[in-house]
Amino acid sequence: MKIIIVGAVAGGATAATRLRRIKEEALITIYERGNYVSFANCGLPYHIGEVISNRDSLILQTPDSLKSIFNFTVKVNHEVKSINPNNKTVKVKNLDTSEEFEDTYDYLLLSPGSQPIRPDIKGIELPNIFTLRNIPDMDSIISAISRGAKKAVVVGGGFIGLEMAENLHHQGLEVSMVEMLDQVLTSLDPDMASYVHQELLDNDIKLFLGEKVEGFEKNTEGQIEVLLSSGRRLTTDVVILAIGVKPEVVLAQEAGLTIGKSGGILVNEKMQTSNEFIYAVGDAVEVYHLVIGASTRIPLAGIANKQARVAANNIAGLPSTYEGALGTSIVKVFNLVCASTGANIRLLDQCQIPYKTAVIHPYQHAGYYPGASMMHIKLIYSPVEGKVLGAQVVGFDGIDKKIDVLATALINKATVYDLQNYELAYAPPFSSARDPINSLGFIAVNDITGFTPLIDTYSLKNCLNNNYFLLDVRNPEEVLAGKIPNSYNLPLHELRSRLNEIPRDKTIISYCKFGLRGYLAQRILIQNGFNAYNLSGGYDSFQAHFSQPETTIRRFSETITMEKPLTTNTFKVNACGLQCPGPLMKLKEAVSKAQVGEIIEIEASDPGFYKDVQSFATSLNLELLNLEKGKTIKASLKISDSKKEETLSTSYSNQVTIVVFSNDLDKAIAAFIIANGALAMGKNISMFFTFWGLNVLRKEGKVAVKKNIIEKMFGLMMPKGSRKLILSKMHMLGMGTGMIKWLMKSYNVDSLDTLIKSTIDNGGKLIACTMSMNLMGIKREELLEGIEEGGVATYLGDAEKGCINLFI
């Protein structure tokens, strides 16, 4: 059996090696037009950025190595010019000598791949305008950079464009990206792509969306002027064209093979073309899309490898079929990772396939374990039977794991009911006890069964009218940072007592930050007779969809960098996994230990720490040397002068006084979070506990003290210590209180016990009102250690030292 393979790399080389493993006696010849027969084309951008330092590591096999190991002939710099299917011959040209000759085959396998699109526009022939397909292309780009290039324009926001933008940036170039559409990475939906936009801007990539390149001109300094459809002109030294690829089908077309509707070579499930003796694989062929049930082109290396194995099996007489593709893909964009599988909403809309979506924003592993970072997951499913149609995941860590699970679900025709039951590996460093995949299943099942129906951000724009009532159940402080227009704020913990404020003649859409509180509010509303929906993904998804970042040529980096002086000592503080005010407390502790001229380096996973640390530094007269916003927040601060101790010591403006009158759990937690935050900012805290607030300070259990009958009755009716406190609202026979404690633990918020101890340990003064103690029969022995006793004069004396006085 004699087999000719046209084109090597992913498809051709894979098919050849598979054929040899099946047919030792077969005569196999590969004709490759380029210089390299087997190389890692996906690694080319990373060698340009010197992430992959060794060029030779990209070359996987050579003609000699393939000959010695697999005993087939590889002829590089040989181009197959034509095919004669009737005679089973090909005409080949030796590009080194220009000699042409014929060769015969029993079976022919086409793996010509695709070529980058190079549009026919003004100035396209100018030097230093590159595409990236192979090693010579890579070498040319590296050579241009080495000649002193300072600026680069990347045209196109797909995989290659994003990878090139990042790696050119690694080389120190000032990079601009131009994309004709309103988003990069069209495998993602616009709301998910917005996280990519922000990551590009955060890394100083100048982003031009909705702009078309009209042409190129050379200026008087020898640089390239990129002419945009808006009239802008971008001056650059290097241009990378990454606007897509087109299949290499001319050879097949001239041979009379059928070309499909999408422009690729038409093949059957055996990878056989319209000629039974000719097979085709890779970027040049059409594939069956398993979700939409139609043929399309998906130029991915993994797909080409699978097709090559199927084609080789069938050529060798082993029946094999290629069922189709999902287009599962993943790409790194600086610190961000973006992945997708199946169909996105644009493709489903084009095919008129109905769908629903669910969006969540979980941590990639347990929040209390160091290094927790947020990911964004979107599930697309059919609205009746719940069949999984597609998924997208964007975040920093663990993205490959989640997308692979969802791709496996798709290939096995899973439904959202199946996702609920997947048993996935859990330990704090790797995931959460309730895996996000399971959560997606629960949410989607609740949606399609009508238990808690969802509405997505795409549908929301059609609901901003008089028939709908948008209910924001976040706390008022959160609303100050932004809200959905025309929404009404009513915090979740007040919802039950204020249901009369919500119109019953309208459809209610509840929302919070990420979706959980909106879901809880929705259940309350539904059970009180309201027609209620929850906004999938909450306000975060709304912002991602409708608050696209500005795309101008200014700098967008949120990194503050200054020269870091030499120091005698550096304090490293790990505050990852801690919620506010935890990172500030850790930082304050380090400040108290550091000496003048020393550096504190702190890392936190709480996104709010980015702003908090700037206020902290200003308040304590610290020099902020460096502040980075990536997977985590990293800050370097210098103890800048000898007045540090004075800054932290008692002064008129540093005094904060809090009167705690209530023994409600939520109010007590709020009081101590404020107290700890104030201590972290260098304030002096005095907390005056009176009447019911004294119960917060009581010890647990029975304390042997002498009391009269009235005092004993009071003691029996009042809670003994912080662990016995209940919520002011939504106690629900203990369920609400337990839920708050569980949520605090899940989000790594310190318990009330820990907050009280932290306040005392960090110098906070807790004062029990002696008058209230006498009236309520509470003895000194019943109070926690470290509690002072005092009266009104003590409180007023502390209060008049400062300008902040809170009553809780």
Side-chain angles (χ1 to χ4, degrees):
M1 180 187 293
K2 186 176 182 181
I3 303 158
I4 289 178
I5 298 175
V6 180
V9 197
T14 299
T17 55
R18 175 63 177 171
L19 280 164
R20 175 57 73 225
R21 291 193 295 271
I22 303 172
K23 291 283 188 181
E24 178 63 24
E25 74 284 0
L27 299 175
I28 304 171
T29 301
I30 299 178
Y31 290 112
E32 167 57 46
R33 182 171 54 190
N35 293 319
Y36 300 89
V37 65
S38 181
F39 63 92
N41 51 0
C42 296
L44 301 180
Y46 299 101
H47 181 59
I48 292 172
E50 296 186 2
V51 176
I52 299 173
S53 58
N54 186 358
R55 180 180 181 277
D56 290 342
S57 65
L58 297 174
I59 301 172
L60 307 178
Q61 296 284 355
T62 66
D64 290 341
S65 66
L66 289 172
K67 177 67 175 177
S68 63
I69 297 171
F70 295 102
N71 191 31
F72 49 68
T73 302
V74 179
K75 295 189 176 183
V76 296
N77 293 323
H78 281 65
E79 181 179 7
V80 174
K81 304 294 290 185
S82 63
I83 304 168
N84 187 330
N86 295 326
N87 298 333
K88 290 188 179 181
T89 60
V90 294
K91 181 179 288 187
V92 185
K93 182 177 182 178
N94 184 330
L95 299 179
D96 291 330
T97 64
S98 297
E99 173 195 2
E100 292 190 358
F101 59 91
E102 279 193 351
D103 199 356
T104 61
Y105 64 84
D106 294 311
Y107 288 97
L108 176 67
L109 188 144
L110 302 178
S111 180
S114 57
Q115 60 179 341
I117 295 172
R118 199 173 177 95
D120 184 18
I121 58 176
K122 174 186 175 183
I124 193 69
E125 74 288 343
L126 289 174
N128 289 346
I129 299 178
F130 303 103
T131 58
L132 180 62
R133 183 192 188 194
N134 51 39
I135 287 181
D137 292 341
M138 176 189 74
D139 292 338
S140 297
I141 294 170
I142 292 173
S143 176
I145 295 172
S146 69
R147 291 193 296 270
K150 302 297 183 184
K151 295 182 178 181
V153 171
V154 177
V155 183
F159 297 118
I160 298 297
L162 292 170
E163 291 169 349
M164 282 303 304
E166 176 182 348
N167 283 283
L168 290 169
H169 180 272
H170 289 335
Q171 287 286 32
L173 275 70
E174 182 182 310
V175 181
S176 299
M177 174 172 281
V178 180
E179 169 55 56
M180 184 172 63
L181 302 176
D182 290 333
Q183 68 169 85
V184 301
L185 209 59
T186 55
S187 58
L188 299 179
D189 291 332
D191 54 325
M192 300 296 281
S194 69
Y195 300 110
V196 189
H197 299 160
Q198 193 59 57
E199 183 70 10
L200 291 167
L201 300 178
D202 285 347
N203 285 278
D204 292 327
I205 303 300
K206 299 172 182 177
L207 190 57
F208 298 86
L209 299 176
E211 287 271 27
K212 184 179 180 181
V213 174
E214 301 283 2
F216 306 97
E217 292 179 357
K218 192 172 184 178
N219 65 21
T220 54
E221 278 100 39
Q223 294 176 298
I224 300 170
E225 300 283 339
V226 184
L227 314 179
L228 303 186
S229 53
S230 64
R232 285 193 180 101
R233 300 170 71 95
L234 305 181
T235 303
T236 187
D237 302 305
V238 172
V239 174
I240 308 295
L241 297 176
I243 56 179
V245 296
K246 59 182 179 181
E248 294 259 27
V249 298
V250 174
L251 189 64
Q253 199 167 22
E254 291 178 349
L257 303 181
T258 303
I259 305 301
K261 292 180 180 179
S262 68
I265 302 170
L266 184 68
V267 293
N268 59 20
E269 70 279 1
K270 297 179 181 180
M271 304 310 300
Q272 195 174 41
T273 69
S274 53
N275 184 292
E276 61 177 316
F277 299 105
I278 302 177
Y279 290 74
V281 300
D283 294 0
V285 306
E286 281 192 341
V287 297
Y288 180 79
H289 197 292
L290 292 170
V291 174
I292 64 173
S295 294
T296 186
R297 290 187 296 109
I298 307 177
L300 293 172
I303 292 175
N305 271 278
K306 296 178 184 67
Q307 293 171 343
R309 182 181 178 89
V310 170
N313 285 350
N314 285 299
I315 290 172
L318 297 179
S320 183
T321 59
Y322 181 72
E323 302 296 337
L326 296 170
T328 305
S329 62
I330 190 166
V331 64
K332 173 183 173 294
V333 184
F334 292 96
N335 292 316
L336 201 67
V337 181
C338 318
S340 63
T341 186
N344 58 18
I345 63 171
R346 174 184 54 80
L347 184 58
L348 292 171
D349 283 336
Q350 288 176 356
C351 299
Q352 298 183 333
I353 297 174
Y355 61 87
K356 297 206 73 177
T357 66
V359 181
I360 59 175
H361 308 278
Y363 284 117
Q364 96 280 17
H365 61 52
Y368 56 82
Y369 187 85
S373 62
M374 186 170 290
M375 58 173 63
H376 313 279
I377 311 180
K378 183 173 190 176
L379 180 71
I380 308 174
Y381 51 95
S382 60
V384 179
E385 70 273 19
K387 181 181 177 183
V388 178
L389 302 175
Q392 298 159 36
V393 190
V394 176
F396 298 104
D397 290 309
I399 308 306
D400 52 344
K401 175 182 176 181
K402 299 308 176 192
I403 202 66
D404 284 346
V405 171
L406 291 165
T408 303
L410 266 167
I411 205 76
N412 287 293
K413 299 180 173 57
T415 68
V416 295
Y417 296 94
D418 297 316
L419 298 186
Q420 294 181 116
N421 299 317
Y422 280 4
E423 185 176 333
L424 303 171
Y426 161 66
F430 304 105
S431 188
S432 301
R434 176 183 287 184
D435 193 275
I437 302 296
N438 299 136
S439 295
L440 283 169
F442 297 142
I443 293 169
V445 168
N446 283 344
D447 176 34
I448 62 179
T449 58
F451 182 74
T452 46
L454 296 172
I455 189 167
D456 60 30
T457 56
Y458 292 81
S459 303
L460 185 65
K461 59 186 176 183
N462 299 322
C463 300
L464 302 178
N465 57 49
N466 293 330
N467 296 323
Y468 293 87
F469 184 83
L470 268 65
L471 179 64
D472 184 343
V473 297
R474 298 174 298 161
N475 294 330
E477 297 81 6
E478 297 176 86
V479 179
L480 294 175
K483 68 171 189 174
I484 298 176
N486 302 318
S487 60
Y488 184 79
N489 179 231
L490 200 167
L492 176 62
H493 63 274
E494 299 178 13
L495 179 57
R496 286 187 177 84
S497 62
R498 295 172 60 185
L499 287 173
N500 61 306
E501 299 177 29
I502 304 173
R504 292 186 174 273
D505 60 342
K506 295 183 179 181
T507 297
I508 312 302
I509 300 174
S510 61
Y511 75 90
C512 61
K513 173 67 172 172
F514 297 126
L516 175 60
R517 285 174 291 170
Y519 160 70
L520 297 175
Q522 181 188 20
R523 287 303 304 156
I524 294 171
L525 292 168
I526 288 174
Q527 293 178 88
N528 279 277
F530 291 89
N531 181 26
Y533 288 79
N534 184 27
L535 178 62
S536 183
Y539 185 70
D540 190 87
S541 289
F542 172 82
Q543 278 191 307
H545 189 178
F546 293 105
S547 303
Q548 294 286 349
E550 182 185 1
T551 55
T552 68
I553 59 173
R554 68 178 177 85
R555 292 179 64 85
F556 290 88
S557 176
E558 290 190 346
T559 300
I560 302 169
T561 306
M562 288 165 276
E563 184 179 354
K564 187 182 293 186
L566 295 174
T567 62
T568 57
N569 196 14
T570 298
F571 290 82
K572 293 187 180 293
V573 180
N574 184 357
C576 291
L578 297 178
Q579 299 290 331
C580 180
L584 287 178
M585 296 301 295
K586 286 270 193 179
L587 181 55
K588 192 252 182 183
E589 180 182 351
V591 170
S592 67
K593 296 177 181 178
Q595 301 300 316
V596 172
E598 293 181 332
I599 299 293
I600 298 170
E601 295 180 352
I602 183 168
E603 181 176 5
S605 55
D606 177 13
F609 186 66
Y610 181 79
K611 298 294 184 185
D612 289 347
V613 72
Q614 297 177 58
S615 300
F616 182 95
T618 301
S619 176
L620 269 67
N621 196 27
L622 304 175
E623 184 179 352
L624 186 61
L625 301 177
N626 189 61
L627 181 59
E628 299 178 8
K629 181 180 180 183
K631 295 181 183 179
T632 56
I633 310 301
K634 297 179 181 179
S636 297
L637 303 100
K638 179 185 175 184
I639 310 301
S640 58
D641 57 49
S642 59
K643 296 182 179 180
K644 183 199 72 159
E645 288 78 8
E646 181 180 329
T647 304
L648 294 174
S649 64
T650 304
S651 67
Y652 181 90
S653 61
N654 271 352
Q655 181 66 40
V656 176
T657 308
I658 302 176
V659 179
V660 182
F661 179 79
S662 171
N663 65 1
D664 291 329
L665 175 62
D666 44 330
K667 296 174 184 176
I669 291 171
F672 278 97
I673 286 178
I674 293 170
N676 276 278
L679 286 167
M681 298 291 288
K683 306 294 183 183
N684 295 286
I685 283 291
S686 176
M687 301 181 73
F688 189 74
F689 294 81
T690 183
F691 282 93
W692 314 114
L694 289 169
N695 292 307
V696 179
L697 305 180
R698 293 180 71 187
K699 295 177 181 176
E700 289 188 52
K702 187 176 181 180
V703 178
V705 291
K706 188 176 180 179
K707 293 188 177 186
N708 60 38
I709 186 65
I710 299 297
E711 291 172 340
K712 288 181 180 179
M713 289 178 64
F714 262 108
L716 289 172
M717 291 186 291
M718 294 186 299
K720 291 183 175 67
S722 63
R723 297 187 184 183
K724 300 296 183 181
L725 305 185
I726 65 174
L727 294 178
S728 61
K729 307 286 185 183
M730 293 173 57
H731 176 55
M732 298 185 291
L733 299 176
M735 289 187 293
T737 301
M739 186 181 301
I740 286 295
K741 291 181 178 179
W742 177 83
L743 285 170
M744 290 174 67
K745 184 176 181 181
S746 299
Y747 286 97
N748 210 23
V749 177
D750 286 337
S751 67
L752 181 54
D753 285 350
T754 303
L755 290 169
I756 293 172
K757 184 177 184 302
S758 177
T759 303
I760 296 173
D761 291 347
N762 285 280
K765 186 165 65 172
L766 276 59
I767 305 166
C769 175
T770 51
M771 180 271 294
S772 298
M773 289 174 64
N774 293 331
L775 289 177
M776 303 179 70
I778 294 177
K779 307 300 182 182
R780 179 66 185 83
E781 294 84 352
E782 295 181 87
L783 300 180
L784 299 170
E785 299 299 326
I787 306 301
E788 302 178 21
E789 295 181 53
V792 174
T794 303
Y795 155 65
L796 292 175
D798 286 339
E800 69 180 3
K801 293 177 184 177
C803 57
I804 301 176
N805 188 25
L806 306 176
F807 189 93
I808 298 178

